[in-house]
Coordinates of all heavy atoms in Angstrom, one line a residue:
M1 N 0.9 -1.2 0.0 CA 0.0 0.0 0.0 C 0.9 1.2 0.0 O 0.7 2.1 -0.8 CB -0.8 0.0 1.3 CG -2.0 1.0 1.1 SD -3.2 0.7 -0.3 CE -4.0 2.2 -0.4
K2 N 1.8 1.3 0.9 CA 2.7 2.5 1.0 C 3.5 2.7 -0.4 O 3.6 3.8 -0.8 CB 3.8 2.2 2.0 CG 3.4 3.0 3.4 CD 4.5 3.1 4.3 CE 4.1 3.6 5.5 NZ 4.9 3.1 6.8
N3 N 3.9 1.6 -1.0 CA 4.5 1.7 -2.3 C 3.6 2.3 -3.3 O 4.1 3.1 -4.2 CB 5.1 0.4 -2.7 CG 6.4 0.1 -2.1 OD1 7.1 1.0 -1.6 ND2 6.7 -1.2 -1.9
A4 N 2.4 1.9 -3.3 CA 1.5 2.4 -4.3 C 1.3 3.9 -4.2 O 1.3 4.7 -5.1 CB 0.1 1.8 -4.2
I5 N 1.3 4.4 -3.0 CA 1.1 5.9 -2.7 C 2.5 6.5 -3.2 O 2.4 7.6 -3.9 CB 1.0 6.2 -1.3 CG1 -0.4 5.7 -0.8 CG2 1.1 7.7 -1.0 CD1 -0.7 5.6 0.6
K6 N 3.6 6.0 -2.9 CA 4.8 6.6 -3.5 C 4.9 6.7 -4.9 O 5.3 7.6 -5.5 CB 6.0 5.6 -3.0 CG 6.7 6.1 -1.7 CD 8.0 5.4 -1.5 CE 8.3 5.4 0.0 NZ 9.2 4.3 0.4
L7 N 4.4 5.6 -5.6 CA 4.3 5.6 -7.2 C 3.3 6.7 -7.6 O 3.7 7.4 -8.6 CB 3.8 4.3 -7.6 CG 4.8 3.2 -7.9 CD1 4.2 1.9 -8.3 CD2 5.8 3.6 -8.9
L8 N 2.3 6.9 -7.0 CA 1.3 8.0 -7.3 C 2.0 9.4 -7.2 O 1.9 10.2 -8.1 CB 0.1 8.0 -6.5 CG -1.0 7.0 -6.9 CD1 -2.2 7.0 -5.9 CD2 -1.5 7.3 -8.4
V9 N 2.7 9.6 -6.1 CA 3.4 10.9 -5.9 C 4.4 11.0 -7.0 O 4.4 12.1 -7.5 CB 4.0 10.9 -4.4 CG1 4.9 12.1 -4.3 CG2 2.9 10.9 -3.4
A10 N 5.2 10.1 -7.3 CA 6.2 10.1 -8.3 C 5.6 10.5 -9.6 O 6.1 11.3 -10.4 CB 7.0 8.8 -8.4
A11 N 4.5 9.8 -10.0 CA 3.8 10.1 -11.2 C 3.3 11.5 -11.4 O 3.4 12.1 -12.4 CB 2.7 9.0 -11.5
A12 N 2.7 12.1 -10.2 CA 2.2 13.3 -10.3 C 3.4 14.3 -10.4 O 3.2 15.3 -11.1 CB 1.5 13.6 -9.0
F13 N 4.5 14.0 -9.8 CA 5.6 14.9 -9.9 C 6.1 15.0 -11.4 O 6.3 16.1 -12.0 CB 6.8 14.4 -9.1 CG 8.0 15.3 -9.1 CD1 8.1 16.6 -8.6 CD2 9.1 14.9 -9.9 CE1 9.2 17.4 -8.7 CE2 10.2 15.7 -10.0 CZ 10.2 16.9 -9.4
V14 N 6.2 13.9 -12.1 CA 6.7 13.9 -13.4 C 5.7 14.6 -14.3 O 6.1 15.4 -15.2 CB 6.8 12.4 -14.0 CG1 7.1 12.4 -15.5 CG2 8.0 11.7 -13.2
A15 N 4.3 14.3 -14.2 CA 3.4 15.1 -14.9 C 3.4 16.6 -14.7 O 3.4 17.4 -15.7 CB 2.0 14.6 -14.6
G16 N 3.7 17.0 -13.5 CA 3.8 18.3 -13.2 C 5.1 19.0 -13.9 O 4.9 20.2 -14.5
S17 N 6.2 18.3 -14.0 CA 7.3 18.9 -14.7 C 7.1 19.0 -16.2 O 7.5 20.0 -16.7 CB 8.6 18.0 -14.5 OG 8.7 17.6 -13.1
A18 N 6.5 18.0 -16.7 CA 6.1 18.0 -18.2 C 5.2 19.2 -18.5 O 5.5 19.9 -19.5 CB 5.5 16.7 -18.6
A19 N 4.3 19.5 -17.6 CA 3.3 20.5 -17.9 C 4.1 21.9 -17.8 O 3.8 22.7 -18.7 CB 2.2 20.5 -16.8
A20 N 5.0 22.1 -16.9 CA 5.8 23.3 -16.8 C 6.5 23.5 -18.1 O 6.6 24.6 -18.6 CB 6.6 23.3 -15.5
F21 N 7.2 22.5 -18.6 CA 7.9 22.6 -19.8 C 7.0 23.0 -21.0 O 7.4 23.7 -21.7 CB 8.7 21.3 -20.0 CG 9.5 21.3 -21.3 CD1 10.7 22.1 -21.3 CD2 9.1 20.7 -22.4 CE1 11.5 22.1 -22.4 CE2 9.8 20.8 -23.6 CZ 11.0 21.4 -23.6
A22 N 5.9 22.3 -21.1 CA 4.9 22.6 -22.2 C 4.5 24.0 -22.1 O 4.2 24.6 -23.1 CB 3.8 21.5 -22.2
D23 N 4.3 24.5 -20.9 CA 3.8 25.8 -20.8 C 4.7 26.9 -21.5 O 4.2 27.7 -22.2 CB 3.8 26.3 -19.3 CG 2.4 25.9 -18.6 OD1 1.6 25.4 -19.4 OD2 2.2 26.4 -17.5
G24 N 6.0 26.8 -21.3 CA 6.9 27.7 -21.9 C 6.8 27.7 -23.5 O 6.7 28.8 -24.1
A25 N 6.7 26.5 -24.0 CA 6.5 26.3 -25.5 C 5.1 26.8 -25.9 O 5.1 27.5 -26.9 CB 6.8 24.9 -25.7
A26 N 4.1 26.5 -25.1 CA 2.8 27.0 -25.6 C 2.6 28.6 -25.4 O 2.0 29.1 -26.4 CB 1.7 26.3 -24.6
L27 N 3.2 29.1 -24.4 CA 3.1 30.5 -24.3 C 3.9 31.2 -25.4 O 3.5 32.2 -26.0 CB 3.7 31.0 -22.8 CG 2.8 30.7 -21.6 CD1 3.6 30.8 -20.3 CD2 1.5 31.5 -21.7
Y28 N 5.0 30.6 -25.7 CA 5.9 31.2 -26.8 C 5.1 31.4 -28.1 O 5.2 32.3 -28.8 CB 7.1 30.4 -27.1 CG 7.9 30.7 -28.3 CD1 8.8 31.8 -28.2 CD2 7.8 30.0 -29.5 CE1 9.5 32.2 -29.4 CE2 8.5 30.3 -30.6 CZ 9.4 31.5 -30.6 OH 10.0 31.8 -31.7
K29 N 4.2 30.2 -28.4 CA 3.5 30.3 -29.6 C 2.2 31.1 -29.5 O 1.6 31.4 -30.6 CB 3.0 28.8 -29.9 CG 4.2 27.9 -30.2 CD 3.7 26.6 -30.9 CE 4.9 25.7 -31.1 NZ 5.3 24.9 -30.0
T30 N 1.9 31.7 -28.4 CA 0.8 32.6 -28.4 C 1.1 34.0 -28.9 O 0.3 34.8 -29.2 CB 0.1 32.8 -27.0 OG1 1.2 33.3 -26.2 CG2 -0.3 31.5 -26.4
A31 N 2.4 34.4 -28.8 CA 2.7 35.7 -29.2 C 4.3 35.9 -29.5 O 4.6 36.5 -30.6 CB 2.5 36.7 -28.0
C32 N 5.1 35.5 -28.8 CA 6.6 35.7 -29.0 C 7.1 35.2 -30.3 O 8.0 35.9 -30.9 CB 7.3 35.1 -27.8 SG 6.6 35.3 -26.2
F33 N 6.5 34.1 -30.8 CA 6.9 33.6 -32.1 C 6.8 34.6 -33.2 O 7.6 34.5 -34.2 CB 6.2 32.3 -32.4 CG 4.8 32.6 -33.0 CD1 4.6 32.6 -34.4 CD2 3.7 33.0 -32.2 CE1 3.4 33.0 -34.9 CE2 2.5 33.4 -32.7 CZ 2.3 33.3 -34.0
A34 N 5.8 35.5 -33.1 CA 5.6 36.4 -34.2 C 6.8 37.2 -34.6 O 7.1 37.5 -35.8 CB 4.4 37.4 -33.8
C35 N 7.6 37.6 -33.6 CA 8.9 38.2 -34.0 C 10.1 37.3 -34.0 O 11.0 37.4 -34.8 CB 9.1 39.4 -33.1 SG 8.0 40.7 -33.2
H36 N 10.0 36.4 -33.1 CA 11.3 35.6 -32.8 C 11.5 34.4 -33.7 O 12.6 34.0 -33.9 CB 11.3 35.1 -31.4 CG 11.7 36.3 -30.4 ND1 13.0 36.7 -30.2 CD2 10.9 37.2 -29.8 CE1 13.0 37.8 -29.4 NE2 11.8 38.1 -29.1
D37 N 10.4 33.9 -34.3 CA 10.6 32.7 -35.2 C 11.4 33.2 -36.4 O 12.3 32.4 -36.8 CB 9.2 32.2 -35.6 CG 8.8 30.9 -35.0 OD1 9.3 30.7 -33.8 OD2 7.9 30.2 -35.5
A38 N 11.1 34.2 -37.0 CA 11.8 34.7 -38.2 C 12.9 35.8 -38.0 O 13.6 36.1 -38.8 CB 10.7 35.2 -39.2
G39 N 12.9 36.3 -36.7 CA 13.9 37.3 -36.4 C 13.4 38.7 -37.0 O 14.2 39.4 -37.5
V40 N 12.2 39.0 -36.8 CA 11.6 40.2 -37.3 C 12.2 41.5 -36.5 O 12.3 41.4 -35.3 CB 10.1 40.2 -37.2 CG1 9.5 41.6 -37.5 CG2 9.5 39.1 -38.0
A41 N 12.4 42.5 -37.2 CA 12.9 43.8 -36.6 C 14.0 43.7 -35.6 O 14.1 44.4 -34.6 CB 11.6 44.4 -35.9
G42 N 15.0 42.9 -36.0 CA 16.1 42.7 -35.0 C 16.1 41.9 -33.9 O 16.8 41.8 -33.0
A43 N 14.8 41.1 -33.8 CA 14.7 40.1 -32.7 C 15.6 39.0 -32.9 O 15.8 38.4 -34.1 CB 13.3 39.6 -32.8
P44 N 16.3 38.6 -31.8 CA 17.2 37.3 -31.9 C 16.3 36.1 -32.3 O 15.3 35.8 -31.7 CB 17.7 37.2 -30.5 CG 16.8 38.0 -29.6 CD 16.3 39.1 -30.4
K45 N 16.7 35.5 -33.5 CA 15.9 34.4 -34.0 C 15.9 33.2 -33.1 O 17.0 32.9 -32.5 CB 16.6 34.1 -35.3 CG 15.6 33.3 -36.3 CD 16.1 33.2 -37.7 CE 15.4 32.2 -38.4 NZ 16.1 31.8 -39.7
F46 N 14.8 32.5 -33.0 CA 14.6 31.3 -32.1 C 15.6 30.3 -32.6 O 15.8 30.0 -33.7 CB 13.1 30.7 -32.4 CG 12.8 29.6 -31.4 CD1 12.5 29.9 -30.2 CD2 12.9 28.3 -31.8 CE1 12.2 28.9 -29.2 CE2 12.6 27.2 -30.9 CZ 12.2 27.6 -29.7
A47 N 16.3 29.7 -31.4 CA 17.3 28.7 -31.6 C 18.5 29.1 -32.4 O 19.4 28.2 -32.8 CB 16.7 27.4 -32.3
D48 N 18.8 30.4 -32.6 CA 20.0 30.8 -33.2 C 21.1 31.0 -32.1 O 21.1 32.0 -31.4 CB 19.8 32.1 -33.9 CG 21.0 32.5 -34.8 OD1 22.2 32.5 -34.3 OD2 20.8 33.0 -35.9
K49 N 22.0 30.1 -32.0 CA 23.0 30.0 -30.9 C 23.9 31.3 -30.9 O 24.1 31.8 -29.8 CB 23.9 28.8 -31.0 CG 23.1 27.5 -30.7 CD 24.0 26.3 -30.6 CE 23.1 25.1 -30.5 NZ 23.7 23.9 -30.7
A50 N 24.3 31.7 -32.1 CA 25.2 32.9 -32.1 C 24.5 34.2 -31.6 O 25.1 34.9 -30.9 CB 25.8 33.1 -33.6
L51 N 23.2 34.3 -32.0 CA 22.5 35.5 -31.5 C 22.1 35.4 -30.1 O 22.0 36.4 -29.4 CB 21.3 35.6 -32.3 CG 21.4 36.1 -33.8 CD1 20.1 36.0 -34.6 CD2 22.1 37.4 -33.9
W52 N 21.9 34.2 -29.5 CA 21.4 34.1 -28.2 C 22.6 34.0 -27.1 O 22.4 34.3 -25.9 CB 20.5 32.9 -28.0 CG 19.1 33.2 -28.4 CD1 18.6 32.9 -29.7 CD2 18.1 33.9 -27.7 NE1 17.3 33.5 -29.7 CE2 17.1 34.1 -28.5 CE3 18.1 34.5 -26.4 CZ2 15.9 34.7 -28.2 CZ3 16.9 35.2 -26.0 CH2 15.9 35.3 -26.9
A53 N 23.7 33.5 -27.5 CA 24.8 33.3 -26.6 C 25.2 34.5 -25.7 O 25.2 34.4 -24.5 CB 26.1 32.8 -27.3
P54 N 25.4 35.7 -26.3 CA 25.7 36.9 -25.5 C 24.5 37.2 -24.5 O 24.7 37.9 -23.4 CB 25.9 38.0 -26.5 CG 25.4 37.5 -27.8 CD 25.3 36.0 -27.7
R55 N 23.3 36.9 -25.0 CA 22.1 37.3 -24.1 C 22.0 36.3 -23.0 O 21.7 36.7 -21.8 CB 20.8 37.3 -24.9 CG 20.8 38.5 -25.9 CD 19.8 38.5 -26.9 NE 19.6 39.8 -27.5 CZ 19.8 40.2 -28.8 NH1 20.4 39.2 -29.6 NH2 19.5 41.3 -29.1
I56 N 22.2 35.0 -23.3 CA 22.2 33.9 -22.3 C 23.2 34.2 -21.2 O 23.0 34.0 -20.1 CB 22.4 32.6 -22.9 CG1 21.0 32.2 -23.7 CG2 22.5 31.5 -21.8 CD1 21.2 31.0 -24.7
A57 N 24.3 34.8 -21.8 CA 25.5 35.0 -20.8 C 25.1 36.0 -19.7 O 25.7 36.1 -18.6 CB 26.8 35.5 -21.5
T58 N 24.1 36.8 -19.9 CA 23.7 37.8 -19.0 C 22.8 37.3 -17.9 O 22.7 37.9 -16.9 CB 22.9 39.1 -19.6 OG1 21.7 38.6 -20.0 CG2 23.6 39.7 -20.8
G59 N 22.4 36.1 -18.2 CA 21.5 35.4 -17.1 C 20.1 35.5 -17.3 O 19.6 36.5 -18.0
T60 N 19.3 34.6 -16.8 CA 17.8 34.6 -17.0 C 17.2 35.8 -16.4 O 16.3 36.4 -17.0 CB 17.2 33.4 -16.3 OG1 17.8 32.2 -16.9 CG2 15.7 33.3 -16.6
D61 N 17.6 36.2 -15.2 CA 17.0 37.4 -14.5 C 17.1 38.6 -15.4 O 16.2 39.4 -15.6 CB 17.7 37.7 -13.2 CG 17.3 36.7 -12.1 OD1 16.3 35.9 -12.4 OD2 17.8 36.8 -11.0
A62 N 18.4 38.9 -16.0 CA 18.6 40.0 -16.8 C 17.6 39.9 -18.1 O 17.1 41.0 -18.5 CB 20.0 40.1 -17.3
M63 N 17.6 38.8 -18.6 CA 16.8 38.6 -19.9 C 15.2 38.8 -19.5 O 14.6 39.5 -20.3 CB 16.9 37.2 -20.5 CG 18.3 37.1 -21.1 SD 18.4 35.5 -22.1 CE 18.4 34.2 -20.9
V64 N 14.8 38.3 -18.4 CA 13.4 38.6 -18.1 C 13.1 40.1 -17.9 O 12.1 40.6 -18.3 CB 13.0 37.7 -16.8 CG1 11.7 38.2 -16.2 CG2 13.1 36.3 -17.1
K65 N 14.1 40.8 -17.3 CA 14.0 42.2 -17.0 C 13.8 43.0 -18.3 O 13.1 43.9 -18.5 CB 15.2 42.7 -16.2 CG 14.7 43.8 -15.2 CD 15.9 44.1 -14.3 CE 15.8 43.6 -12.8 NZ 16.9 43.8 -12.0
V66 N 14.7 42.6 -19.4 CA 14.6 43.3 -20.6 C 13.3 43.0 -21.3 O 12.7 44.0 -21.8 CB 15.7 42.6 -21.6 CG1 15.5 43.1 -23.1 CG2 17.1 43.1 -21.1
V67 N 12.6 41.9 -21.2 CA 11.4 41.6 -21.8 C 10.3 42.4 -20.9 O 9.4 43.0 -21.6 CB 10.9 40.2 -21.8 CG1 9.6 39.9 -22.3 CG2 12.1 39.3 -22.4
L68 N 10.4 42.5 -19.7 CA 9.4 43.3 -18.9 C 9.4 44.7 -19.3 O 8.3 45.4 -19.3 CB 9.8 43.1 -17.4 CG 9.3 41.9 -16.6 CD1 10.0 41.8 -15.2 CD2 7.9 41.8 -16.5
T69 N 10.6 45.3 -19.5 CA 10.7 46.8 -19.8 C 10.6 47.0 -21.3 O 10.2 48.0 -21.7 CB 12.0 47.4 -19.2 OG1 13.0 46.6 -19.7 CG2 12.0 47.5 -17.8
G70 N 10.9 46.0 -22.1 CA 10.9 46.2 -23.6 C 12.3 46.7 -24.0 O 13.0 47.3 -23.2
K71 N 12.6 46.4 -25.3 CA 13.8 47.0 -25.8 C 13.7 47.0 -27.4 O 13.2 46.0 -28.0 CB 14.9 46.0 -25.3 CG 16.3 46.4 -25.6 CD 17.4 45.5 -25.2 CE 18.7 46.0 -25.6 NZ 19.8 45.0 -25.2
G72 N 14.2 48.1 -27.9 CA 14.2 48.2 -29.4 C 12.8 48.0 -29.9 O 11.9 48.7 -29.4
A73 N 12.5 47.1 -30.8 CA 11.2 46.9 -31.4 C 10.3 46.0 -30.5 O 9.1 45.8 -30.8 CB 11.3 46.2 -32.8
M74 N 10.8 45.5 -29.3 CA 10.1 44.7 -28.5 C 9.3 45.6 -27.4 O 9.9 46.2 -26.7 CB 10.9 43.7 -27.8 CG 10.1 42.7 -26.9 SD 10.9 41.2 -26.4 CE 12.3 41.9 -25.5
P75 N 8.0 45.5 -27.5 CA 7.2 46.3 -26.5 C 7.3 45.7 -25.1 O 7.7 44.5 -25.0 CB 5.8 46.2 -27.0 CG 5.7 45.0 -28.0 CD 7.1 44.8 -28.4
P76 N 7.1 46.5 -24.1 CA 7.1 45.9 -22.6 C 6.3 44.7 -22.6 O 5.2 44.5 -23.3 CB 6.6 47.0 -21.8 CG 6.8 48.2 -22.5 CD 6.7 47.9 -24.1
N77 N 6.8 43.7 -21.9 CA 6.1 42.3 -21.7 C 5.9 41.6 -23.1 O 5.1 40.7 -23.2 CB 4.6 42.5 -21.2 CG 4.7 42.3 -19.7 OD1 5.6 42.7 -19.0 ND2 3.5 41.9 -19.2
G78 N 6.8 42.0 -24.1 CA 6.6 41.4 -25.4 C 5.3 41.7 -26.0 O 4.9 40.9 -26.9
G79 N 4.6 42.7 -25.5 CA 3.3 43.0 -26.0 C 2.2 42.1 -25.5 O 1.1 42.1 -26.2
T80 N 2.5 41.5 -24.5 CA 1.5 40.4 -23.9 C 1.0 40.8 -22.5 O 1.5 41.8 -22.0 CB 2.0 39.0 -23.9 OG1 2.9 39.0 -22.8 CG2 2.7 38.6 -25.2
Q81 N 0.0 40.1 -22.0 CA -0.4 40.2 -20.6 C 0.2 39.2 -19.7 O -0.3 39.0 -18.6 CB -2.0 40.1 -20.6 CG -2.8 41.1 -21.5 CD -2.7 42.5 -21.1 OE1 -2.8 42.7 -19.9 NE2 -2.4 43.3 -22.0
M82 N 1.3 38.6 -20.2 CA 1.9 37.5 -19.3 C 2.3 38.0 -18.0 O 2.9 39.2 -18.0 CB 2.9 36.8 -20.1 CG 2.5 35.9 -21.2 SD 3.9 35.1 -22.0 CE 3.3 35.0 -23.6
T83 N 2.3 37.2 -17.0 CA 2.9 37.5 -15.7 C 4.4 37.4 -15.8 O 4.9 36.7 -16.8 CB 2.3 36.6 -14.5 OG1 2.8 35.3 -14.9 CG2 0.9 36.6 -14.5
E84 N 5.0 37.9 -14.8 CA 6.5 37.8 -14.8 C 6.9 36.4 -14.8 O 7.9 35.9 -15.4 CB 7.1 38.5 -13.6 CG 8.7 38.4 -13.6 CD 9.2 39.3 -12.6 OE1 8.5 40.2 -11.9 OE2 10.5 39.1 -12.3
A85 N 6.2 35.5 -14.0 CA 6.5 34.0 -13.9 C 6.3 33.4 -15.3 O 7.1 32.5 -15.6 CB 5.6 33.4 -12.9
Q86 N 5.3 33.8 -15.9 CA 5.1 33.2 -17.3 C 6.2 33.6 -18.3 O 6.7 32.8 -19.0 CB 3.7 33.6 -17.9 CG 2.5 32.8 -17.1 CD 1.2 33.4 -17.7 OE1 1.0 34.6 -17.9 NE2 0.2 32.5 -17.8
L87 N 6.5 34.9 -18.2 CA 7.6 35.4 -19.1 C 8.9 34.6 -18.8 O 9.6 34.3 -19.7 CB 7.9 36.9 -18.8 CG 6.8 37.8 -19.4 CD1 7.0 39.3 -19.0 CD2 6.6 37.7 -21.0
R88 N 9.1 34.3 -17.5 CA 10.3 33.6 -17.1 C 10.3 32.2 -17.8 O 11.4 31.7 -18.3 CB 10.4 33.5 -15.6 CG 11.6 32.7 -15.1 CD 11.7 32.8 -13.6 NE 12.0 34.2 -13.2 CZ 13.3 34.7 -13.1 NH1 14.2 33.9 -13.1 NH2 13.5 35.9 -12.8
E89 N 9.2 31.6 -17.7 CA 9.0 30.2 -18.4 C 9.4 30.2 -19.9 O 10.1 29.5 -20.4 CB 7.6 29.6 -18.2 CG 7.4 28.9 -16.8 CD 6.2 28.3 -16.8 OE1 5.7 27.7 -17.8 OE2 5.6 28.3 -15.6
V90 N 8.8 31.3 -20.6 CA 9.1 31.4 -22.0 C 10.5 31.7 -22.3 O 11.2 31.2 -23.1 CB 8.3 32.6 -22.6 CG1 8.3 32.4 -24.2 CG2 6.8 32.4 -22.2
V91 N 11.2 32.7 -21.4 CA 12.6 33.1 -21.7 C 13.4 31.8 -21.5 O 14.4 31.5 -22.2 CB 13.0 34.2 -20.7 CG1 14.5 34.3 -20.6 CG2 12.2 35.5 -21.0
E92 N 13.1 31.0 -20.4 CA 13.9 29.8 -20.2 C 13.7 28.7 -21.4 O 14.7 28.1 -21.9 CB 13.4 29.0 -18.9 CG 14.1 29.7 -17.7 CD 13.5 29.3 -16.4 OE1 12.5 28.4 -16.4 OE2 14.0 29.8 -15.3
Y93 N 12.6 28.7 -22.0 CA 12.3 27.8 -23.1 C 13.1 28.3 -24.3 O 13.7 27.6 -25.0 CB 10.8 27.8 -23.4 CG 10.4 27.3 -24.8 CD1 10.5 25.9 -25.1 CD2 10.0 28.1 -25.8 CE1 10.2 25.5 -26.2 CE2 9.7 27.6 -27.1 CZ 9.7 26.3 -27.3 OH 9.4 25.7 -28.5
M94 N 13.1 29.6 -24.5 CA 13.8 30.2 -25.7 C 15.4 30.0 -25.5 O 16.1 29.7 -26.4 CB 13.4 31.6 -25.9 CG 12.0 31.9 -26.2 SD 11.5 33.6 -26.1 CE 12.0 34.4 -27.6
A95 N 15.8 30.3 -24.3 CA 17.2 30.1 -24.0 C 17.7 28.7 -24.2 O 18.7 28.4 -24.8 CB 17.5 30.6 -22.7
N96 N 16.9 27.8 -23.6 CA 17.3 26.3 -23.8 C 17.3 25.7 -25.2 O 18.1 25.0 -25.6 CB 16.3 25.4 -23.0 CG 16.6 25.5 -21.5 OD1 17.7 25.6 -21.1 ND2 15.6 25.3 -20.7
A97 N 16.5 26.5 -26.0 CA 16.4 26.1 -27.5 C 17.6 26.5 -28.2 O 17.9 26.1 -29.3 CB 15.1 26.7 -28.0
A98 N 18.3 27.5 -27.6 CA 19.5 28.1 -28.3 C 20.8 27.7 -27.7 O 21.7 28.3 -28.0 CB 19.3 29.6 -28.3
K99 N 20.8 26.7 -26.8 CA 22.0 26.2 -26.2 C 22.6 25.1 -26.9 O 21.9 24.3 -27.6 CB 21.6 25.7 -24.7 CG 21.7 26.9 -23.7 CD 21.3 26.5 -22.4 CE 21.2 27.8 -21.4 NZ 20.6 27.5 -20.2
Ligands
HEC1 C1 7.2 43.0 -31.8 C2 8.3 42.0 -31.9 C3 8.6 41.2 -30.7 C4 7.7 40.4 -29.9 C5 6.2 40.2 -30.1 C6 8.6 39.8 -28.9 N1 9.9 40.2 -29.0 FE1 11.4 39.6 -27.8 N2 12.7 40.8 -28.9 C7 12.4 41.6 -29.9 C8 13.4 42.4 -30.4 C9 13.4 43.3 -31.6 C10 14.6 42.0 -29.6 C11 16.0 42.7 -29.6 C12 16.1 43.9 -28.7 C13 17.4 44.5 -28.8 O1 18.4 43.9 -28.4 O2 17.4 45.7 -29.2 C14 14.0 41.1 -28.6 C15 14.7 40.5 -27.6 C16 14.3 39.5 -26.7 C17 15.0 38.8 -25.7 C18 16.5 39.1 -25.4 C19 16.6 40.1 -24.3 C20 18.0 40.4 -24.0 O3 18.4 40.2 -22.9 O4 18.7 41.1 -24.8 C21 14.2 38.0 -25.1 C22 14.6 37.0 -23.9 C23 12.9 38.1 -25.6 N3 12.9 39.0 -26.7 C24 11.8 37.4 -25.2 C25 10.6 37.6 -25.7 C26 9.3 37.0 -25.2 C27 9.4 36.0 -24.0 C28 8.3 37.4 -25.9 C29 6.8 37.1 -25.7 C30 6.3 37.3 -24.4 C31 8.9 38.4 -26.9 N4 10.2 38.4 -26.8 C32 8.1 39.0 -27.9 C33 11.1 41.7 -30.6 C34 9.9 41.0 -30.1

C-alpha cells in the first residue's frame, strides 16, 4: 500500500514537470513567435545560438527584465499580458532552445 502511494506521488511529480515545460513552449506560440521565429525587426531568431549566446550570458533574470521593460522593437512584456512568472518560463524555453 505504501509503495502504491509513493508511485502515485512520483507520477504526479513527473506530470507536473512536463506541464511546466509545455507551458513555456505553448506561451511562446501565443505571441513571442511572431517576431522571434523569423527574427523580425532585429529580434534574436529562435534557436540561433550565435544570436542568443551573449544574451544567455547575462543570465535569466537580466533577460526577463529586458522583456518586462521592452527593448528596441520589443514592447514591454513582449506586447502580452503575461505575468513575470510566465515570461520567465518562455525566456527559459527560448534560451534552452538556443543552447
Ligand atoms: C514585436 C516583436 C517582438 C515580440 C512580439 C517579442 N519580441 Fe522579444 N525581442 C524583440 C526584439 C527586436 C529584440 C531585440 C532587442 C534589442 O536587443 O534591441 C528582442 C529580444 C528579446 C530577448 C533578449 C533580451 C536580452 O536580454 O537582450 C528575449 C529574452 C525576448 N525578446 C523574449 C521575448 C518573449 C518572451 C516574448 C513574448 C512574451 C517576446 N520576446 C516577444 C522583438 C519582439
